[in-house]
């Protein structure tokens, strides 16, 4: 089974609207972390937001929030008030394992295009 | 200045050549990583290092080698480049004392002809 699944290859959103990018994960470890990264066309990978498996509250960072539904094993990224600069690839990732090297697995990404 | 830097940013080489990609960081992190990114495959781990004396293979280490010259420097070598090593290569660092978020360099675009 895929560790990280991003089922939306591409998404469009109108400027100033909110958009949700889907991510589901698969792990049997009780302790894990979930990350979202943004990759604009220039290529760099930019860390956006983190959610720990034991965190009770959904993570938020400015216009980004992570809708964490542990029982459903989903960690969707919500971007509010989309801006043209949000157009990019978005990657969901999971860190799992206890002690030593904790493997990080990345999804294949979702391409978001913000329409003026 | 960027916390994680990579040189070169772009490189074109020929099949059979040995090349080195370099990574430096000022974040003070002990852990460093090399990934490659191919369209539709996400990021795949090549090598990782927990400190200067600790080097470990990732999921796709064949055809690559690394050197951890100092806490701040981690280089990736392609011993004999082949066309299917054409990819975007990223160096990353992390701090095990927190969330262990990986922070990435700007990437190196490598084309092997």
């Amino acid at each position: 089974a895929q560790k990280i699944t991003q089922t939306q290859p591409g998404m469009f959103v109108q400027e100033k609207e909110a958009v949700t990018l889907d991510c589901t994960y698969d792990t049997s470890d009780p302790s894990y972390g979930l990350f979202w990264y943004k990759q604009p066309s220039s290529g760099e990978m930019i860390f956006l937001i983190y959610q720990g498996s034991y965190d009770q509250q959904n993570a938020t960072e400015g216009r980004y929030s992570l809708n964490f539904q542990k029982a459903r094993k989903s960690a969707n990224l919500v971007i509010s008030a989309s801006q043209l600069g949000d157009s990019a690839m978005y990657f969901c990732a999971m860190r799992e394992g206890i002690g030593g090297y904790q493997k990080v697995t990345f999804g294949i990404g979702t391409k978001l295009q913000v329409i003026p | 200045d960027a916390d994680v830097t990579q040189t070169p940013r772009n490189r074109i080489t020929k099949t059979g050549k040995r090349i080195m990609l370099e990574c430096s960081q000022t974040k003070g992190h002990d852990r460093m990583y090399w990934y490659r990114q191919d369209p539709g495959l996400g990021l795949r781990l090549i090598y990782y290092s927990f400190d200067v004396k600790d080097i470990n293979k990732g999921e796709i280490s064949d055809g690559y080698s690394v050197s951890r010259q100092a806490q701040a420097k981690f280089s990736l070598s392609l011993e004999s480049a082949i066309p299917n090593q054409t990819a975007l290569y990223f160096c990353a660092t992390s701090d095990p004392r927190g969330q262990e978020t990986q922070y990435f360099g700007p990437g190196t675009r490598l084309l092997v002809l």
Side-chain angles (χ1 to χ4, degrees):
Chain A
Q2 293 287 333
K3 287 286 187 178
I4 294 286
T5 302
Q6 295 181 256
T7 58
Q8 306 153 313
M11 291 278 288
F12 290 91
V13 64
Q14 202 77 36
E15 193 177 7
K16 300 180 185 177
E17 298 290 313
V19 62
T20 298
L21 306 184
D22 294 341
C23 173
T24 58
Y25 60 92
D26 181 31
T27 182
S28 57
D29 284 333
S31 177
Y32 54 90
L34 298 155
F35 305 83
W36 277 92
Y37 288 86
K38 172 185 179 181
Q39 186 177 39
S41 58
S42 52
E44 68 268 32
M45 292 286 285
I46 303 166
F47 166 67
L48 296 178
I49 196 166
Y50 168 83
Q51 179 85 41
S53 58
Y54 295 119
D55 294 342
Q56 296 295 314
Q57 304 276 349
N58 284 345
T60 60
E61 290 286 347
R63 294 187 299 110
Y64 303 109
S65 61
L66 200 153
N67 183 2
F68 181 45
Q69 298 187 43
K70 195 170 183 177
R72 297 179 61 184
K73 294 189 174 179
S74 74
N76 298 340
L77 177 70
V78 180
I79 305 175
S80 63
S82 296
Q83 302 172 356
L84 295 178
D86 293 334
S87 294
M89 286 289 290
Y90 288 82
F91 293 92
C92 179
M94 175 175 65
R95 170 185 49 76
E96 59 182 330
I98 298 174
Y101 172 62
Q102 298 184 11
K103 180 179 172 62
V104 177
T105 305
F106 288 81
I108 63 172
T110 294
K111 184 174 184 178
L112 177 66
Q113 297 187 62
V114 181
I115 305 166
Chain B
D1 289 339
D3 295 319
V4 185
T5 58
Q6 293 182 234
T7 56
R9 294 294 311 278
N10 296 278
R11 179 74 183 266
I12 300 174
T13 192
K14 294 182 178 180
T15 297
K17 294 291 188 181
R18 183 181 189 275
I19 66 164
M20 180 182 291
L21 309 182
E22 299 186 351
C23 176
S24 294
Q25 53 113 347
T26 58
K27 298 187 76 70
H29 291 168
D30 287 329
R31 297 185 174 187
M32 298 187 73
Y33 310 80
W34 276 104
Y35 288 91
R36 66 177 280 175
Q37 183 182 28
D38 300 276
L41 294 178
L43 274 74
R44 292 181 293 166
L45 182 66
I46 305 172
Y47 271 95
Y48 63 99
S49 169
F50 279 3
D51 63 40
V52 175
K53 298 179 181 179
D54 180 76
I55 303 288
N56 302 280
K57 293 182 177 181
E59 56 185 297
I60 54 163
S61 58
D62 287 348
Y64 302 94
S65 62
V66 291
S67 173
R68 184 82 183 266
Q69 302 94 325
Q71 188 212 30
K73 295 184 182 297
F74 192 34
S75 59
L76 175 72
S77 294
L78 284 66
E79 300 301 326
S80 178
I82 56 177
N84 77 1
Q85 291 178 312
T86 293
L88 179 57
Y89 289 85
F90 286 104
C91 173
T93 74
S94 70
D95 181 352
R97 295 169 294 179
Q99 302 166 355
E100 198 149 12
T101 300
Q102 295 195 0
Y103 294 94
F104 287 81
T108 295
R109 293 187 185 275
L110 175 65
L111 173 61
V112 183
L113 299 175

